[in-house]
Amino acid sequence: MSENYEYRIALLIDAENISAQYAPYILGEVESYGVCSYKRIYGNWDRIVHTKWVDEIIEHSFNPHMLVNNTKGKNASDSALIIDAMDILYRDTVDCFCIVSSDSDFTALARRLGESGCYLIGMGESDKATAALENVYDKFIYIDLLAKQKQEEERASIEEEAKRTLRTSDARRAEEASEGKTPSKKDIERRIQDIIQEQEDKGKPTDLGYVGSELSRYYKNFDVRYYSMKGGKRYKYLKEFVGDFKSLRLLTKDNVVYVTLRQR
């Protein structure tokens, strides 16, 4: 698949499981992968009608599917999301699904969609999603950490100097809170070293794009935007993230960036 390929995406949101505060970040992230052919949101009417989701549905033109549970203890909205996902799959109008929920009940659905050959994006909160749920997706995004990073950037653009200390402490707290869920920078550095060594054993160079693909394959929750540089500013690009490792060196040849082990 070309790096410039734009997916046709079905965005399906479990509104009972995800806070409305993440709505603009969800949509912004999904649209970076391609075009949203479906923007559907699911929830029990009584639980959603008095929340901020109503305003977000109007502002972002989500297609609401608000239901009423017919039986106590049964979640009609979850069933509706699953049925719609399969219906969309069989219409063959999309090649990517994004399911926004930390609910592990959608693991089987995601696995079935993946069997069809569709690219799968999952979004959930870092302290709620299970490893089993994350690993069934091609890419899993911690929407709470992503939203926090975006909010920090917005604040920084307004009061860069005045809030430098606050941003630094916030970044550290975010890393401490999520260190049990995201791989450490030291683990990632060792993994990149292994990738380079494996390529060298095959007589092949290691380009930065290959490193990114392998890291995303090995760590389903990997995203450079979760990590901070010295001073608290978050990384935006893989190149600057990898370039900070003292054991690695970046070389550019014919507009391709290669990663090598630094000679000791």
Side-chain angles (χ1 to χ4, degrees):
M1 192 72 71
S2 169
E3 291 183 1
N4 297 322
Y5 181 81
E6 287 198 342
Y7 290 104
R8 296 166 297 155
I9 306 168
L11 171 62
L12 308 177
I13 303 174
D14 177 6
E16 293 184 30
N17 187 266
I18 296 292
S19 171
Q21 66 177 308
Y22 301 129
Y25 306 107
I26 292 169
L27 199 55
E29 185 69 14
V30 169
E31 289 180 342
S32 70
Y33 285 84
V35 178
C36 254
S37 301
Y38 298 86
K39 293 191 294 184
R40 296 186 178 180
I41 183 168
Y42 300 81
N44 181 281
W45 174 259
D46 292 336
R47 296 183 183 180
I48 302 302
V49 68
H50 299 301
T51 71
K52 292 182 179 180
W53 269 120
V54 175
D55 294 332
E56 299 297 341
I57 288 170
I58 295 171
E59 181 176 351
H60 299 292
S61 298
F62 290 121
N63 184 355
H65 289 246
M66 301 294 105
L67 300 101
V68 176
N69 292 336
N70 296 314
T71 304
K72 186 175 181 180
K74 300 295 183 181
N75 194 325
S77 60
D78 283 6
S79 298
L81 189 155
I82 293 170
I83 292 170
D84 280 3
M86 297 307 297
D87 184 38
I88 293 169
L89 174 65
Y90 288 124
R91 289 179 190 173
D92 197 26
T93 54
V94 302
D95 50 10
C96 174
F97 281 85
C98 177
I99 299 176
V100 184
S101 179
S102 304
D103 191 342
S104 59
D105 287 347
F106 291 117
T107 303
L109 170 64
R111 186 178 294 114
R112 173 62 185 85
L113 295 174
E115 290 174 350
S116 72
C118 289
Y119 189 77
L120 293 183
I121 303 170
M123 290 192 193
E125 295 180 80
S126 58
D127 60 345
K128 294 180 181 178
T130 64
L133 178 66
E134 295 172 11
N135 290 335
V136 79
Y137 290 98
D138 294 299
K139 178 69 176 180
F140 194 90
I141 298 166
Y142 292 144
I143 195 61
D144 55 328
L145 299 187
L146 180 60
K148 186 177 183 67
Q149 183 260 343
K150 295 287 187 183
Q151 291 163 4
E152 288 176 355
E153 286 185 355
E154 292 167 3
R155 288 197 301 267
S157 65
I158 299 171
E159 299 180 80
E160 179 66 30
E161 294 301 324
K163 296 189 177 182
R164 183 179 298 275
T165 303
L166 178 60
R167 288 201 317 277
T168 300
S169 60
D170 283 348
R172 287 173 180 168
R173 283 197 296 271
E175 286 187 346
E176 290 169 359
S178 62
E179 64 180 358
K181 299 286 289 184
T182 56
S184 69
K185 291 176 72 173
K186 181 59 68 175
D187 286 342
I188 294 171
E189 183 177 11
R190 283 195 291 263
R191 183 58 192 162
I192 295 174
Q193 291 170 351
D194 290 341
I195 292 170
I196 295 171
Q197 189 61 58
E198 290 167 4
Q199 287 293 92
E200 288 184 354
D201 291 343
K202 298 175 184 177
K204 297 180 180 180
T206 307
D207 63 75
L208 187 63
Y210 182 76
V211 169
S213 297
E214 285 296 288
L215 289 177
S216 294
R217 184 181 65 82
Y218 193 81
Y219 302 111
K220 293 301 179 71
N221 58 7
F222 172 71
D223 196 310
V224 298
R225 295 172 295 181
Y226 300 155
Y227 300 90
S228 298
M229 307 177 187
K230 291 182 179 179
K233 185 178 179 181
R234 299 293 182 93
Y235 291 99
K236 285 187 178 182
Y237 307 106
L238 181 62
K239 182 177 180 180
E240 60 185 8
F241 178 77
V242 174
D244 266 358
F245 291 127
K246 294 182 179 180
S247 66
L248 306 175
R249 182 173 59 176
L250 299 179
L251 300 173
T252 302
K253 183 178 181 181
D254 297 329
N255 295 322
V256 178
V257 179
Y258 295 93
V259 187
T260 64
L261 295 175
R262 191 178 294 277
Q263 298 298 323
R264 296 181 179 179

